[in-house]
Amino acid sequence: MKVLFIHQNFPGQFKHLSVALARQGHEVVSLTLRVKQATTWNGVRLVPYALRRKTPQNCHPWVTDLDSKVTRGEACFHAATKLKAEGFTPDIIIAHPGWGESLFLRDVWPEVPIGLYCELYHLAGYPHAGFDPEFDRGTAQIEPMRIRMKNINNQLHFDAAQAGLSPTRFQADTFPEPFRSRISVIHDGIDTDALVADPGASVTVPGAGTFTRDDEVVTFVNRNLEPYRGYHVFMRALPRLLATRPEAQVLIVGGDGVSYGAAPPDGRSWKQTFIDEVRGDIPDADWARVHFLGRMPYGQFTALLQVARVHVYLTYPFVLSWSLFEAMSCEGAIVASDTAPVREAITHDVTGRLVDFFDGDALVEEVGRLLDDPEARRRLGRAARAHVRESYDLRSICLPRQLDWVSDLADMTV
């Protein structure tokens, strides 16, 4: 079978599925912006496409997002047309539609089944919109209209696709019928064989030393440090956390950019915004125990999760991070936000502890209780790993189900 993957930052969510298909002997190709020259990665042929330079134009801010998606869709269309002219016609197409690349693939291959990675359908009502009123910037009235325009990309894909794939039920359930019925809930998969508890793990922080399981380490992880992932809540809780836990070392992982939502209005990063807000409330001696590690190589990140005594995970009602499941697989004792996507993975006091997203005092109290209770940490950590093994394991659960989904897609008619 010939399989075409579409993902601007390939492999992304397809890193396991694409390789598994290639190892089965299928011809696997990806159109992506990730590379500038054609190359091969783990048996997958990577074919670049390029964005054409556009003439600057004025457009309404509500359609700026759609304009960028159409631009990418057009570029991918031309690359797909070239592939077709060279003799490549896929049996199936698997695409992440979030950036618009797959908008016009049906025009290239009218009879090829398309499966979509359905990450999120943007909803205008609470709690998807208006969850955190601090950042609404007076846009509550116009937000439903802006969101409807943002969803045009999703809507245009529904008629073109035969099936969908979502990693969690929360994410799948954001999509409207009738397309929701075509979505299978199958997680991307967690490599629980690699992500294990390791009593001998250590993390070295330049200028601060090496931390092990003997240290009172609290970890917090975002891809980028920003409000969607509760960075502001965590930072505002830091003065009390540091004051009440004089031995705690706080290790914070994440970049300075923006993955979700808007950038700060004053040009600073969200990281710096909330450092500036709380720094005056934290004595220098306590601040010396706060370590910003930026983005880490994956091996070091795994060691970080293994060293943590308590791992904090906060999120809006939004896409659920891999890092939560990775921490669970490492038998992490987790304090997380009591928000809908998290409740799908964590049951309070069974596989972790849940606190109100906005309640920094409750967060500090729950972290402190776990730090003082090694038996509770062991109980929660072991249950968390067992849950991930039973429901999200890459090799025994998720990848076999994804491969079945691919087979079903190949049998569908357009």
Side-chain angles (χ1 to χ4, degrees):
M1 186 165 62
K2 296 180 179 180
V3 183
L4 178 64
F5 282 93
I6 309 293
H7 196 302
Q8 61 97 24
N9 194 33
F10 184 87
Q13 293 88 349
F14 304 136
K15 66 178 180 179
H16 300 302
L17 177 59
S18 60
V19 173
L21 289 168
R23 288 176 177 169
Q24 286 184 345
H26 302 292
E27 182 179 353
V28 182
V29 176
S30 172
L31 286 176
T32 180
L33 283 175
R34 185 73 175 268
V35 297
K36 300 301 181 184
Q37 300 292 331
T39 187
T40 300
W41 171 81
N42 286 342
V44 179
R45 181 159 64 102
L46 306 184
V47 179
Y49 69 90
L51 300 179
R52 295 184 175 184
R53 178 172 292 181
K54 294 172 53 182
T55 301
Q57 58 183 328
N58 292 323
C59 62
H60 195 286
W62 295 352
V63 296
T64 301
D65 180 71
L66 179 62
D67 181 75
S68 69
K69 289 175 169 56
V70 171
T71 299
R72 289 172 182 261
E74 180 192 20
C76 201
F77 165 82
H78 290 301
T81 300
K82 185 181 179 195
L83 269 179
K84 184 177 182 179
E86 293 170 352
F88 180 82
T89 292
D91 295 294
I92 59 171
I93 297 169
I94 303 173
H96 191 313
W99 298 273
E101 283 96 340
S102 43
L103 275 170
F104 309 117
L105 295 182
R106 175 64 65 231
D107 299 275
V108 183
W109 293 293
E111 298 181 357
V112 176
I114 297 177
L116 301 178
Y117 187 93
C118 299
E119 190 162 16
L120 195 74
Y121 188 89
H122 304 280
L123 299 180
Y126 181 86
H128 294 262
F131 175 74
D132 193 344
E134 179 177 352
F135 301 102
D136 72 10
R137 300 180 185 173
T139 60
Q141 281 188 312
I142 67 171
E143 195 67 0
M145 296 177 284
R146 187 188 70 82
I147 291 296
R148 284 205 303 274
M149 298 303 295
K150 190 176 180 67
N151 274 323
I152 288 176
N153 176 58
N154 276 318
Q155 292 284 347
L156 290 173
H157 276 92
F158 292 161
D159 289 339
Q162 281 58 59
L165 184 69
S166 274
T168 67
R169 188 163 303 282
F170 170 83
Q171 289 166 253
D173 286 348
T174 63
F175 286 80
E177 292 292 0
F179 194 76
R180 170 63 185 90
S181 298
R182 291 185 244 165
I183 299 174
S184 300
V185 178
I186 309 171
H187 194 264
D188 310 323
I190 301 300
D191 188 352
T192 64
D193 292 336
L195 291 157
V196 298
D198 180 3
S202 65
V203 173
T204 299
V205 177
T210 297
F211 301 113
T212 70
R213 294 285 291 181
D214 292 331
D215 298 298
E216 191 172 280
V217 173
V218 177
T219 55
F220 180 80
V221 173
N222 291 179
R223 179 166 56 182
N224 280 302
L225 300 170
E226 57 189 327
Y228 261 74
R229 296 306 194 196
Y231 171 66
H232 58 314
V233 175
F234 184 75
M235 289 300 290
R236 289 166 178 170
L238 262 188
R240 185 180 171 201
L241 177 62
L242 293 165
T244 57
R245 306 301 308 190
E247 300 301 319
Q249 299 285 341
V250 180
L251 275 55
I252 301 173
V253 173
D256 296 349
V258 175
S259 297
Y260 313 109
D266 59 5
R268 290 179 297 171
S269 66
W270 287 120
K271 172 186 173 182
Q272 194 60 46
T273 295
F274 293 106
I275 289 176
D276 293 344
E277 179 179 321
V278 305
R279 181 64 181 88
D281 298 325
I282 302 175
D284 290 348
D286 285 349
W287 186 249
R289 296 186 283 118
V290 179
H291 312 285
F292 288 89
L293 306 181
R295 293 181 176 175
M296 306 178 71
Y298 193 72
Q300 294 178 26
F301 172 70
T302 299
L304 176 97
L305 297 178
Q306 293 166 332
V307 164
R309 285 196 186 176
V310 173
H311 178 73
V312 176
Y313 178 76
L314 307 173
T315 185
Y316 284 11
F318 196 63
V319 173
L320 203 57
S321 305
W322 287 338
S323 65
L324 173 62
F325 295 104
E326 290 167 329
M328 294 172 72
S329 184
C330 291
E331 296 188 22
I334 296 167
V335 178
S337 56
D338 189 8
T339 43
V342 177
R343 289 193 294 270
E344 191 170 331
I346 291 184
T347 301
H348 179 64
D349 204 34
V350 177
T351 50
R353 298 271 175 85
L354 299 177
V355 297
D356 183 272
F357 177 90
F358 299 103
D359 194 339
D361 288 341
L363 175 64
V364 171
E365 290 168 5
E366 200 63 79
V367 169
R369 277 195 284 267
L370 275 181
L371 289 173
D372 286 334
D373 192 342
E375 181 52 42
R377 295 200 305 270
R378 281 191 292 270
R379 172 176 62 83
L380 294 172
R382 289 169 181 169
R385 176 170 171 79
H387 179 58
V388 172
R389 291 274 291 175
E390 292 166 3
S391 301
Y392 301 99
D393 181 70
L394 172 65
R395 291 178 179 82
S396 64
I397 306 294
C398 297
L399 192 54
R401 291 186 62 201
Q402 289 177 0
L403 291 170
D404 288 343
W405 178 83
V406 168
S407 296
D408 292 341
L409 178 65
D411 290 337
M412 293 179 182
T413 55
V414 178

